[in-house]
Every structure is written in structure tokens, then in C-alpha cells.
């Protein structure tokens, strides 16, 4: 069957020249999301749909019959997990999502074990994956590589969808989906994400999760964002420019103490010193960018604390048992929202809706 891939209509040089936001429509097939590479692809309707589908899937999975139904949905498909950078949660949550939906999976987690050491280009390596697998889930140290692969594969006779599981310092769109899902569930009883005050704390210069999530929050009217970091680790101007474009209000500050009592959500991050060239992060004071028992006392009762994990000492272990700590739930939410995304890409979501409606009847 010939399906219309938007990326088939454009040459690589023309596509490569596009701004990030302009690329979004090219990741579709027949008007539906096909590759999932950048947050800019996801509008509000899509986010609401992914949250709904994730919740339906998790409810169906509660019974043995439901789980067997889910495991049949994509039993004819195989997924390649290509993780050229370290990962625990993202890898395992995608693997679990595949297992829930019955996809078989293969993995390359270390480029040293692939033919790249024989001089094969990364492009050829991924193209080989597409000969064996029907979906490529990919974490890669360089931003933009996924876009290149998506273009390349869409222009072969075996196009397969590509999901970005973290690209350089640039984007982590499925982490942003699970963060949105967690915020939405956390604020369900208090009016949803709209109008909430959300602080991002820590290494905002190199944290790709913050960049992808800040972008998705432009989809929620009335939110106000606070970027709390030492000057050297502040959020990129490109993200602030996007917020300006969407009329989202924000503050950029280096102190958490004065704003903390007003915050509805605090999104903590670790210092990403693996990107240092000469250990420069070591000289940056980070004591202001932590949450501990003392700080908890200054937070709203209804506030929530998120963290993409892994953490170091920016959230004290004593915070873990506080009901406002949402980071463990984020981990589990990630599995369900990634299952939802895979269902959407393979167009099996309507079957989940039908099963769910029968269940509720
Ligand atoms: C994050 C990442 O890889 O960007 N981890 C994750 O996927 N949950 C954050 C980090 O590494 O600090």
C-alpha cells in the first residue's frame, strides 16, 4: 500500500534548511503523526489524546484478559531500541511498552558492538535496522540526527517510523509527553495544567527534557514558567523566543527561595556535567537548586515535584515519602504514554477505544 509520507515531498537540502518548528508537519504520514522527533509536533488535541489513550491502556491492562488483548495488538511488529547514550528509564519504559503491546524487540546499546567500528556510517547502520524492524526508537548524542534518519528512511522503499528517545542537549519529546501526563493527572482535581506556575530548576542549558517540556507547556493557556538556574546554566534564548511567540509569560532568575511558595510544580534537574569540556561545572555553586525537608515546608500543599531522573543530591531522599513527590509516578507514567504513542503511530488506537468502551459498559 502506498501511503503519503510528507518527507517524500522534499529534498534533504530543502528540509535541512527549515527551522525546527517548520519541520513538524513533515513527520506525518497521511496527516497523522508518524515519526516522533520534536515537541513542536504535538498540539493540544494530540496531547489530550495521548493522555486519554495512556489511561485507557493502563485500565485495560489491569486484567489478564485485557493484557492478552493488548499483547495481540502489535504482535506482528518488531521494534529496534538503538541507544547510543546511557539510559535506564527511557530504555526500560520503551521496552516495557513494546512488551505490553506484543512487539518483539531488539537492541543495540553500545555502538562499539555494531559495525560502526568497521567504519560504517551511522546512517547506514540505522538503515540496516529498518530492514529487520518496523519501528526504530533511538537515543543519540547529536541533536538533529533523528530528523536526518527520518528523512532518509521515508525516502527508501522501506520507510519505518523513528521515535526520538533523547537527542543530544536538544530534545527529549517522549519525556515531555510523560511529564505532561504526570502534570495533567496531578492537577486533575484543581483545574488542569492551565494557569499553573511551574519552575524549572538546575541545569537548564543542557537538560533536553526541560527544553522539550517548556515547549509543550505553550499548549496550556495561562501557564507561567520560571527558569531557576545559575547564570552559566540558564535556559537557551531559543526557548524563550518560542515562549514569546506563543505569549507565554516567564521569569528567569537565579534564586528559588522567593518564588517557591507560589509554585504549583517544581521540575528539578541534575547538573549535566558529562557535557563539560574541562570540569567547569565543578566551580558552580548549586546549593540554591535543591529541594529538601526544610524547603518542602515552604511549598503549597497541592504543589508537585517532578524530576526526569537520574537524580543526584538536588532532591534529598527525605523528600521521597512526601505526597508531593511525583518522580516515581513519572517513571510509571512513561511506560503508558509511550505505549499510547506506539499505538497511535501504528494506528491501533481505535481498537483500544472499542475495547475500553466495552469494558466501561
Ligand atoms: C534525562 C535524559 O536522558 O535526558 N533522563 C531521562 O531520560 N529520564 C535526564 C538526565 O539524564 O539527566
Amino acid at each position: 500500500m502506498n501511503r503519503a509520507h510528507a518527507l517524500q515531498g522534499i529534498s534533504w537540502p530543502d528540509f535541512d534548511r527549515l527551522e525546527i518548528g517548520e519541520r513538524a508537519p513533515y513527520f506525518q504520514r497521511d496527516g497523522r503523526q508518524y515519526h516522533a522527533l520534536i515537541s513542536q509536533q504535538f498540539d493540544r488535541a494530540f496531547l489530550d489524546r495521548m493522555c486519554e489513550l495512556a489511561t485507557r491502556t493502563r485500565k485495560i491492562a489491569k486484567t489478564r484478559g485485557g493484557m492478552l488483548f493488548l499483547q495481540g495488538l502489535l504482535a506482528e511488529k518488531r521494534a529496534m531500541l538503538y541507544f547510543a547514550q546511557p539510559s535506564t528509564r527511557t530504555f526500560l519504559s520503551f521496552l516495557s511498552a513494546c512488551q505490553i503491546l506484543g512487539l518483539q524487540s531488539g537492541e543495540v546499546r553500545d555502538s562499539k558492538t555494531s559495525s560502526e567500528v568497521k567504519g560504517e556510517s551511522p546512517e547506514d547502520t540505522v538503515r540496516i535496522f529498518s530492514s529487520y524492524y518496523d519501528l526504530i526508537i533511538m537515543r543519540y548524542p547529536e541533536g538533529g540526527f533523528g530528523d536526518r534518519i527520518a528523512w532518509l528512511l521515508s525516502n527508501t522503499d522501506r520507510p519505518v517510523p523513528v521515535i526520538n528517545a533523547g537527542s543530544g542537549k536538544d530534545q527529549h519529546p517522549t519525556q515531555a509527553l510523560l511529564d505532561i501526563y504526570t502534570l495533567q493527572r496531578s492537577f486533575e482535581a484543581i483545574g488542569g495544567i492551565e494557569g499553573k506556575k511551574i519552575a524549572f530548576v538546575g541545569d537548564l542549558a543542557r537538560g533536553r527534557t526541560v527544553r522539550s517540556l517548556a515547549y509543550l507547556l505553550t499548549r496550556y493557556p495561562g501557564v507561567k514558567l520560571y527558569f531557576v538556574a545559575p547564570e552559566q546554566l540558564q535556559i537557551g534564548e531559543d526557548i524563550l523566543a518560542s515562549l514569546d511567540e506563543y505569549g507565554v509569560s516567564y521569569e528567569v532568575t537565579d534564586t528559588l527561595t522567593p518564588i517557591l511558595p507560589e509554585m504549583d510544580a517544581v521540575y528539578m534537574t541534575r547538573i549535566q556535567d558529562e557535557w563539560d569540556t574541562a570540569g567547569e561545572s565543578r566551580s558552580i555553586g548549586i546549593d540554591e537548586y535543591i529541594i529538601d525537608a526544610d524547603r518542602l515546608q515552604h511549598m503549597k500543599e497541592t504543589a508537585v515535584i517532578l524530576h526526569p531522573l537520574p537524580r543526584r543530591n538536588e532532591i534529598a531522599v527525605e523528600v521521597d515519602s512526601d505526597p508531593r513527590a511525583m518522580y516515581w509516578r513519572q517513571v510509571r507514567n512513561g511506560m503508558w504514554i509511550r505505549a499510547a504513542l506506539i499505538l497511535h503511530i501504528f494506528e491501533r488506537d481505535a481498537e483500544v477505544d472499542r475495547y475500553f468502551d466495552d469494558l466501561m459498559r
Side-chain angles (χ1 to χ4, degrees), residues 92-109:
L92 290 177
S93 64
F94 269 118
L95 181 64
S96 305
C98 288
Q99 288 167 343
I100 289 166
L101 302 175
L103 285 101
Q104 310 261 13
S105 65
E107 63 184 74
V108 169
R109 300 198 64 180

Side-chain angles (χ1 to χ4, degrees), residues 49-213:
R49 173 62 175 150
M50 284 301 100
C51 292
E52 174 187 64
L53 195 55
T55 299
R56 289 181 173 185
T57 306
R58 86 199 288 166
K59 286 190 177 149
I60 292 171
K62 284 190 193 304
T63 65
R64 180 176 156 80
M67 198 47 124
L68 290 172
F69 157 75
L70 291 171
Q71 281 170 356
L73 282 177
L74 287 167
E76 80 284 22
K77 301 286 185 196
R78 290 183 304 280
M80 176 47 146
L81 295 149
Y82 176 46
F83 277 64
Q85 273 188 305
S87 176
T88 305
R89 276 150 291 269
T90 308
F91 178 83
L92 290 177
S93 64
F94 269 118
L95 181 64
S96 305
C98 288
Q99 288 167 343
I100 289 166
L101 302 175
L103 285 101
Q104 310 261 13
S105 65
E107 63 184 74
V108 169
R109 300 198 64 180
D110 180 356
S111 307
K112 288 197 231 36
T113 67
S114 87
S115 280
E116 282 179 68
V117 287
K118 300 185 199 166
E120 184 165 62
S121 70
E123 284 84 354
D124 282 5
T125 300
V126 181
R127 188 164 176 172
I128 296 306
F129 298 153
S130 76
S131 309
Y132 304 125
Y133 293 94
D134 308 290
L135 166 66
I136 296 172
I137 300 163
M138 192 168 86
R139 170 168 286 196
Y140 204 75
E142 263 163 55
F145 180 65
D147 298 18
R148 174 151 180 82
I149 292 301
W151 181 87
L152 186 78
L153 295 182
S154 284
N155 285 285
T156 65
D157 55 12
R158 216 187 120 68
V160 305
V162 181
I163 298 178
N164 178 1
S167 53
K169 291 176 255 184
D170 169 38
Q171 284 250 2
H172 196 346
T174 64
Q175 175 72 41
L177 288 178
L178 79 88
D179 294 336
I180 287 288
Y181 186 37
T182 305
L183 289 170
Q184 198 230 45
R185 288 170 75 83
S186 302
F187 297 144
E188 215 149 39
I190 54 168
I193 299 174
E194 282 87 354
K196 296 294 185 291
K197 293 184 173 172
I198 301 170
F200 291 96
V201 183
D203 190 342
L204 313 183
R206 302 176 292 188
R208 54 195 174 195
T209 69
V210 169
R211 295 172 52 79
S212 286
L213 178 57

